[in-house]
Amino acid sequence: MRRAFFILVSVLVLTSCNDFQKAMKSEDIALKFKLGEELYEAGKFKKANRLFEQIVPKYRGKPQAEKLMYMHAKCFYEEEQYYLSSYRFEQFVNSYPKSEKAEEAAFLSVKSYYEESPIYSKDKEETVKAIEKIQLFVNNYPDSKYLPEANKLVKELDFKLEKKAFEIAKQYNRIYDYKASIKSFNNFLLDFPGTSLREDALYYKFNSEYNLAILSIEDLKLERIKTALADYNMLVKAYPKTKYLDEASKMKAELEDVKKEEI
């Protein structure tokens, strides 16, 4: 019985493969469409799309073109070929703006842009583009059922930009370029006023001000100590129980001792 089952499965697989090969070689676009749709419904997106790619141009202007273009784009999405799916879904929406699938296609297009966004340490161009595309979707579909997910995606992308800007400023601190670090953290705090990294940014800005003051020539030391102490006060005022309190307090005490010596 078990052997018979495996034989049956093997026959079905071979038949399916033969059908696919015959359809690929056939000039019958209706046959390709039918088998491609069956493969699509079965979740065999790669094979389905090989058939769709052959017939998409031949169905332009025909009633079946709308469904074919949607399935074609969705296959790319399911295969995680997001660059192609973003383009194909945009193409679908532009061709069929009144389709019942237009909103879903528009969202899957922007989600494809989201998926194309790299980790925060890479170039930010794709992330910025994804944010712009999602914002455009929100503007076009303000009552969309996808709105909560779209907002979530934007928050994640925004955080990538925040994290990148923060890490650049922090890197300047690590390589002892304290002036560049201070400038970068000032820009970061202005650009991202509601950032979840504000406590860290305030601390590392103070840390850079502290190091710059301690290493300064005598003529600049007092003024820079005052600036560093002001940054310390800003940190503890915003975060009285900051996780950096012990370290920051030691730096503050050293700054005050040096200030007394200078006076």
Side-chain angles (χ1 to χ4, degrees):
M1 189 74 178
R2 189 171 180 178
R3 185 180 175 187
F5 172 76
F6 283 117
I7 291 172
L8 178 61
V9 170
S10 298
V11 170
L12 290 172
V13 169
L14 288 171
T15 302
S16 175
C17 289
N18 287 336
D19 289 344
F20 176 73
Q21 292 302 329
K22 285 178 183 177
M24 286 290 292
K25 295 174 183 177
S26 173
E27 296 297 321
D28 187 345
I29 63 172
L31 173 65
K32 293 176 189 285
F33 187 103
K34 182 175 181 297
L35 183 58
E37 186 177 8
E38 289 173 2
L39 290 168
Y40 173 88
E41 294 296 339
K44 297 178 180 179
F45 302 109
K46 189 172 184 178
K47 278 189 172 182
N49 227 16
R50 287 182 65 189
L51 291 169
F52 295 154
E53 284 169 354
Q54 290 186 348
I55 61 176
V56 163
K58 297 174 183 179
Y59 269 95
R60 283 200 183 102
K62 295 185 178 182
Q64 302 96 323
E66 180 181 336
K67 184 173 185 179
L68 178 59
M69 283 185 69
Y70 175 85
M71 291 191 296
H72 186 39
K74 189 72 181 292
C75 283
F76 284 125
Y77 182 83
E78 295 294 344
E79 286 292 306
E80 298 182 2
Q81 297 186 55
Y82 298 118
Y83 178 80
L84 291 171
S85 65
S86 63
Y87 170 72
R88 291 299 182 185
F89 276 125
E90 277 189 343
Q91 192 179 43
F92 176 87
V93 174
N94 290 333
S95 299
Y96 304 100
K98 295 183 180 180
S99 169
E100 63 178 20
K101 289 285 190 180
E103 182 181 334
E104 180 189 354
F107 178 69
L108 290 176
S109 176
V110 300
K111 196 167 182 183
S112 297
Y113 279 105
Y114 161 83
E115 295 290 355
E116 279 286 286
S117 169
I119 60 173
Y120 74 85
S121 58
K122 302 293 183 183
D123 187 80
K124 68 178 184 179
E125 184 180 345
E126 293 300 325
T127 301
V128 172
K129 185 192 291 185
I131 292 172
E132 290 172 352
K133 292 290 184 179
I134 296 173
Q135 189 57 58
L136 188 61
F137 171 82
V138 170
N139 293 342
N140 291 336
Y141 300 94
D143 300 317
S144 174
K145 64 180 180 180
Y146 301 108
L147 205 57
E149 189 174 355
N151 288 331
K152 181 182 175 184
L153 298 182
V154 167
K155 284 182 181 178
E156 290 180 22
L157 293 169
D158 276 337
F159 184 72
K160 281 187 183 182
L161 297 180
E162 289 179 27
K163 183 71 171 171
K164 184 176 181 66
F166 174 83
E167 290 297 334
I168 288 172
K170 189 175 176 182
Q171 183 62 21
Y172 282 128
N173 176 277
R174 286 175 179 155
I175 62 174
Y176 316 118
D177 190 347
Y178 299 118
K179 287 183 180 179
S181 180
I182 292 163
K183 183 178 179 180
S184 295
F185 276 121
N186 279 333
N187 290 336
F188 174 81
L189 291 165
L190 284 171
D191 292 340
F192 306 102
T195 178
S196 59
L197 298 170
R198 183 174 175 78
E199 179 182 358
D200 305 274
L202 288 173
Y203 168 73
Y204 280 103
K205 182 172 179 284
F206 166 58
N207 180 279
S208 294
E209 294 280 13
Y210 157 81
N211 280 293
L212 185 63
I214 293 297
L215 298 172
S216 286
I217 60 173
E218 294 303 316
D219 289 347
L220 299 174
K221 188 164 286 189
L222 269 177
E223 190 61 36
R224 286 177 174 172
I225 286 173
K226 288 179 183 177
T227 303
L229 289 172
D231 273 14
Y232 169 84
N233 291 332
M234 189 182 299
L235 170 65
V236 296
K237 183 178 180 181
Y239 302 95
K241 296 182 180 179
T242 176
K243 58 189 174 184
Y244 299 110
L245 188 60
D246 289 345
E247 200 171 345
S249 296
K250 289 176 184 176
M251 288 189 286
K252 180 204 173 194
E254 185 178 351
L255 288 168
E256 288 176 334
D257 287 343
V258 174
K259 183 180 176 183
K260 287 176 185 176
E261 291 174 7
E262 292 296 315
I263 296 173

